[in-house]
Amino acid sequence: MFRTAVRNVLAHKARLLMTMLAVLLGVAFVAGTLVFTDTVGNAYKERFLTTLRDVSVQATPPFDEKTGEPGTLAEDTLRRLRQLPGVASVTGSVDGFAAVAAKDGHPLGEDQRTAAGNYVPQADGEDDRHPLTAGRAPTGPGEVLLDADTADRGGYQLGDTVRLAVDGPVLHQKLVGIVRTDDTHGSGGTLALFDNATAQRLLLKPGQYNGVSLEAGRGVSEDRLAAEVRDLLPEDSEISTGAQLREQQRAQAAEGAEKLNQVLFVFAAIALFVGVFVIGNTFTMLVTQRAREMALMRAVGAHRRQVTRSVLVEAALLGLCAGAAGFLLGIGVAMGIRQLFGSTGSGFPDGPLIVAPRTAVVSFLVGVVVTMLAAYLPARRAATVPPVAAMSALHTPPPVRGLRRRNITGAALIVLGVLGVLVTTSSGDEGTTLVLLPAALLLLGIIVVTPALSGPAIALAGPLLRRFGVPGTLAPRNARRDPRRTASTASALMIGLSLVTGLTVVAVSATTSLHRGAENTVTADFEISTRNSGPLPASVHDTLAKSAEVTSSSPRRTGTVRIGGDAVDLTGVDPRTIGDLLHPDFVSGSPTALGAGGGKSLLIDTATADLHGWTTGRRVPVVYEDGSRDTLRIGGVYRGNDFLPATMMPLATLQSHLTEVQDTAVWVRTEDGDGDTARRSLQRALDHNPLIQVRNTDDLAEEAGGEAVTLLLDVLSGLLAMAVVIAVLGVVNTLAMSVFERTREIGMLRAVGLQPEQTKRMVRLESVLISLFGALLGIGAGLFLGWAAGRLVSDSIQGYEMVIPWDRIAVALAGAVLVGVIAGLWPARRAARLNILTALKAE
């Protein structure tokens, strides 16, 4: 029986090749994910071994509750640490934020990954934490070092003047050296290093450090040194040994790569799941075509189990081939992912490609197990055909009862799925994970009832295809001939499109809601703030207010007051101009109340009102920072969102009690609107300070979640492409075998006058019908799942409303037509080239 299975595999190489490709894609994603994970993990391990090679103990002082700032260590503490027995070296670290601009003035770095620190030369004249690759160490306040990636992206060379800012005006520093950094700042961020005194002056205070690292002498254990260090540092200081640090860094790196791994595994799972339909369809048709052969085997003594095992052996051989090819392709997938991240400047550390033995084992197991599972039911079905019935070619269609039972089961699954989705999505955040089960039941139910749906759906398309003549009449009849086969083929595309459509609906709805919220709430053209979310000097607003381009402006100035023993942040705004810059949606009261009441009015959002139980008209006693007391009247309550402060009061009233005048942001309106021309004018007025960001409402919406949505849409595009590829393979396989089964029928049609071109058109139209049927099912299910998912995220996105992306749906339908056309090319060509006499003699 094994030799028979091998012979059958070799006899159907072309047909099984496309089936193998469907499995191969899923295996490739599994193997690629494992290779990528192992490669990144090894690279981080080697990096941390190098970076923390000379660190035996690292200590960080506790948070300073009085100042609300991270704690610091004085020079005297480091001096006492150096006097400990068994200490080889002590290095104080100064860490902070420094925004660096490229030569053309464009800010470098992403988000807040724009770091700065001190460069402390050791006995050899270099800082082992940041090895020099060119130049020398900084020796004065006008010199700086950059990491190699920042220098390259900024277009800087040794001797150039670097534009950067720490917490105020632009600094101009001479680039005297370039370092190789082994930390995460090299992945899309920037790193600027100053000499020790300059770093302390710019980032902390003279003589102060953020932390300290110690190297143990020969024969001194890390644990012993850590215990001695603890006695000299403030209580609650965070003290870690070198081994603990390396493990912490490794765990953080693994956590960072885990999200990407999850995405890749989702791709793999979907590819394998969709591939199951292609495999099951292929083996069902192969078994049907070889019914007489298997009946003969039964007649000469083969048992049912032997016939079943013969088909499963074929599947296992096919799975082995798919596993081997998928394993090799997975290595290429891992290399492609590394290259992709490297080209975007946010890649993982370099290192050799790690292909572990377990990756090969998992690849082969996945390929074999998935293929055998998909082929099991066709194998069982083949063994149950009576030998006499099969040898006499008495192929009876499936009994109606079987379809009826299947339809009842599918309908029950759909009802359970829909009810489950409705219940779980009504339970808020708790239903985020629970909704997956009923959603899976719903999709499974649709798959089960698809054969019953295929007949009526394809029949509806019949009148539209009559304009194609005879091919248009025959194509829907051929597609309806075997509802199970048509349903199985269409399900491959349906699954992918349902997931893509559902997630796309959520992504587009979230993006639209965020942009609508920003545009309706912020009527200012720009919001000016710092890139590190730190305070803006009050001089920024003064500079902008004097600019000829600015027509109105207001700072967003925050102060902390005490109300009934609780600390509450109040935001001061200019009541004369805030109406031109913000447009809150008031539940009660009015924005005009801000300018009334002698500057004693307070506007609050609904969250603040609910938290404290305040209502419009209530008077609230407050204690300002300087100790003075006052009473504010609630003048209005508005609906809050990500773009509005939680409170607003007259700027002059708050400012008179502040110990330090600083702004969190500045809103402005300009003569030229919110375009690039106005943005460049504001940047010029602010001396192109890389610390300051000028954002319009689109930028604010992107920061509030639009960037994550954009990434999601990119991932969905990849998911759709994968689903399309597998769907093409499935349709090609189905049509190719359908053409083989109908060889004699096609020969008769050709004999009575059907032309080769008409034959091609008939097969292509059948392919398009199957693809469109699957696409419509997937889009319909996806819209419902998208609506359900939207109910879960609506609480976290204020003003969320479902938006149906008709343009993307149209593209998906057009893509389905294209899939049908492409998938039908080879089967159509094969059908048209059949020899009429040979086809008429076929059995």
Side-chain angles (χ1 to χ4, degrees), residues 146-465:
L146 294 178
D147 68 275
D149 183 63
T150 300
D152 181 61
R153 287 184 288 127
Y156 289 116
Q157 296 180 351
L158 292 178
D160 288 344
T161 299
V162 179
R163 292 170 49 84
L164 53 88
V166 176
D167 59 358
V170 177
L171 302 175
H172 299 83
Q173 307 271 10
K174 181 180 179 181
L175 182 62
V176 297
I178 296 176
V179 300
R180 184 182 77 249
T181 178
D182 290 322
D183 55 26
T184 55
H185 300 307
S187 300
T190 62
L191 178 63
L193 299 173
F194 311 95
D195 68 275
N196 197 58
T198 302
Q200 290 177 331
R201 177 175 57 83
L202 292 176
L203 306 175
L204 290 175
K205 294 179 180 179
Q208 299 294 312
Y209 296 91
N210 296 108
V212 62
S213 58
L214 299 88
E215 180 184 1
R218 181 173 299 178
V220 179
S221 70
E222 293 182 347
D223 292 333
R224 173 187 164 188
L225 183 59
E228 295 177 349
V229 167
R230 188 176 300 278
D231 295 334
L232 298 179
L233 294 181
E235 190 178 355
D236 298 330
S237 293
E238 183 178 347
I239 300 175
S240 304
T241 63
Q244 291 171 336
L245 286 172
R246 286 186 284 271
E247 177 58 27
Q248 290 172 6
Q249 298 275 25
R250 186 204 61 77
Q252 291 176 2
E255 183 180 356
E258 183 64 23
K259 292 183 179 180
L260 179 60
N261 292 341
Q262 291 174 357
V263 172
L264 293 176
F265 275 125
V266 168
F267 273 57
I270 293 174
L272 291 171
F273 185 65
V274 175
V276 165
F277 290 91
V278 180
I279 299 166
N281 227 13
T282 301
F283 275 92
T284 297
M285 289 185 287
L286 283 176
V287 166
T288 303
Q289 294 171 11
R290 290 158 43 199
R292 297 185 65 181
E293 173 190 331
M294 293 181 177
L296 181 60
M297 293 170 58
R298 292 282 310 281
V300 298
H303 299 291
R304 287 186 177 183
R305 291 183 179 178
Q306 289 178 304
V307 174
T308 302
R309 284 199 297 265
S310 174
V311 178
L312 290 178
V313 168
E314 293 181 41
L317 293 174
L318 181 66
L320 279 174
C321 296
F327 170 67
L328 296 176
L329 181 60
I331 297 175
V333 169
M335 295 174 63
I337 295 173
R338 285 183 58 186
Q339 185 66 30
L340 174 64
F341 277 89
S343 63
T344 58
S346 56
F348 296 97
D350 293 330
L353 199 68
I354 304 299
V355 183
R358 62 154 184 149
T359 302
V361 173
V362 170
S363 299
F364 283 104
L365 283 177
V366 169
V368 172
V369 171
V370 169
T371 310
M372 291 183 69
L373 285 176
Y376 178 72
L377 288 180
R380 286 287 303 274
R381 198 175 298 123
T384 58
V385 177
V388 175
M391 293 181 67
S392 60
L394 298 176
H395 304 296
T396 58
V400 177
R401 181 182 177 185
L403 288 175
R404 185 181 298 115
R405 184 181 303 169
R406 174 172 179 159
N407 294 339
I408 293 173
T409 302
L413 289 174
I414 291 175
V415 171
L416 288 175
V418 171
L419 292 177
V421 168
L422 293 177
V423 171
T424 52
T425 54
S426 300
S427 58
D429 294 338
E430 298 177 357
T432 303
T433 303
L434 297 177
V435 75
L436 296 177
L437 178 59
L441 289 178
L442 173 62
L443 292 178
L444 185 61
I446 294 175
I447 293 171
V448 173
V449 302
T450 299
L453 299 176
S454 62
I458 293 175
L460 290 175
L464 301 176
L465 298 180

Side-chain angles (χ1 to χ4, degrees), residues 15 24 28 35 78 128 150 153 176-177 283 298 351 353 371 399 451 473 511 557 572 670 673 686 770 794:
R15 299 176 198 173
L24 182 152
V35 171
L78 269 67
D128 294 336
T150 300
R153 287 184 288 127
V176 297
F283 275 92
R298 292 282 310 281
L353 199 68
T371 310
T473 302
T511 302
R557 196 160 294 168
T670 68
L686 298 172
I770 295 174
S794 59

Side-chain angles (χ1 to χ4, degrees), residues 490-520:
S491 295
L493 186 59
M494 185 272 290
I495 295 169
L497 272 180
S498 63
L499 296 176
V500 171
T501 302
L503 293 176
T504 301
V505 166
V506 176
V508 172
S509 299
T511 302
T512 304
S513 299
L514 287 170
H515 281 271
R516 185 187 299 119
E519 292 173 357
N520 293 341

Side-chain angles (χ1 to χ4, degrees), residues 70-94:
T72 58
L73 297 175
E75 186 69 49
D76 182 61
T77 302
L78 269 67
R79 188 179 304 111
R80 286 186 282 123
L81 290 172
R82 292 189 182 98
Q83 295 173 357
L84 287 173
V87 173
S89 66
V90 176
T91 303
S93 60
V94 179

